[in-house]
Amino acid sequence: MKIPYKTALGGEACLDVVDEAMTKGQSFRGILIDCYMPDLNGFQTAKILKARMSRKEIADTPIISISAHDTQENREKAFKAGMIAWYTKPLGEEEIHELLESCNKVWKMNVRREKMLLDVAPDLLLNMRKLS
């Protein structure tokens, strides 16, 4: 399975990649974040991304944490930051497939939810976007 992707070498770069995609009208089906990246760590980056998503500045996208530091404290921090899943490095082929499927399912749910809103109340969705 060939899947297009973009990489970023740190938290600030991740935010830049997402912003650049949005200016081109593109979005991501998932964002995989290492919890211990340079400059902004994954927890900080996820909080910023989730805040932007809640203000509708960027598309609602599942954020998944990846870390070699598998502790209960890190898992709790990841979920508090808005990440939907936790994977411990190194990842095997099966785990990567599962991770991508998780992103795809969440993305499809978001698309269906937005389509339902458009079908039921297109003016409401438009107004919600203007207010955000």
Side-chain angles (χ1 to χ4, degrees):
M1 165 171 45
K2 185 174 176 167
I3 298 172
Y5 64 92
K6 297 203 180 258
T7 59
L9 298 178
E12 291 287 348
C14 175
L15 297 174
D16 291 342
V17 166
V18 171
D19 288 342
E20 180 184 335
M22 290 303 296
T23 61
K24 294 178 180 178
Q26 302 169 340
S27 62
F28 298 96
R29 288 194 179 197
I31 300 173
L32 312 179
I33 294 185
D34 189 316
C35 293
Y36 293 98
M37 298 184 293
D39 56 63
L40 285 176
N41 67 38
F43 307 113
Q44 295 164 317
T45 304
K47 283 180 184 177
I48 292 168
L49 289 168
K50 291 303 282 187
R52 289 181 178 178
M53 288 175 202
S54 70
R55 293 189 304 263
K56 304 293 185 208
E57 294 172 10
I58 60 175
D60 195 12
T61 308
I63 303 172
I64 296 176
S65 61
I66 301 172
S67 181
H69 307 285
D70 188 17
T71 66
Q72 186 62 33
E73 178 184 356
N74 280 341
R75 284 175 183 251
E76 289 172 9
K77 282 172 62 176
F79 293 122
K80 263 188 180 171
M83 299 181 201
I84 65 161
W86 176 276
Y87 286 87
T88 304
K89 294 182 199 175
L91 296 176
E93 188 175 328
E94 187 176 313
E95 291 167 311
I96 292 171
H97 180 73
E98 179 184 315
L99 182 150
L100 295 172
E101 279 299 313
S102 296
C103 287
N104 203 35
K105 284 178 185 174
V106 171
W107 181 82
K108 284 179 180 178
M109 285 189 313
N110 289 338
V111 168
R112 277 195 296 268
R113 182 184 68 223
E114 194 158 305
K115 184 177 177 342
M116 281 175 32
L117 279 172
L118 278 171
D119 289 345
V120 173
D123 295 335
L124 176 64
L125 183 61
L126 181 61
N127 289 334
M128 286 170 42
R129 285 188 176 153
K130 285 181 182 175
L131 293 173
S132 312

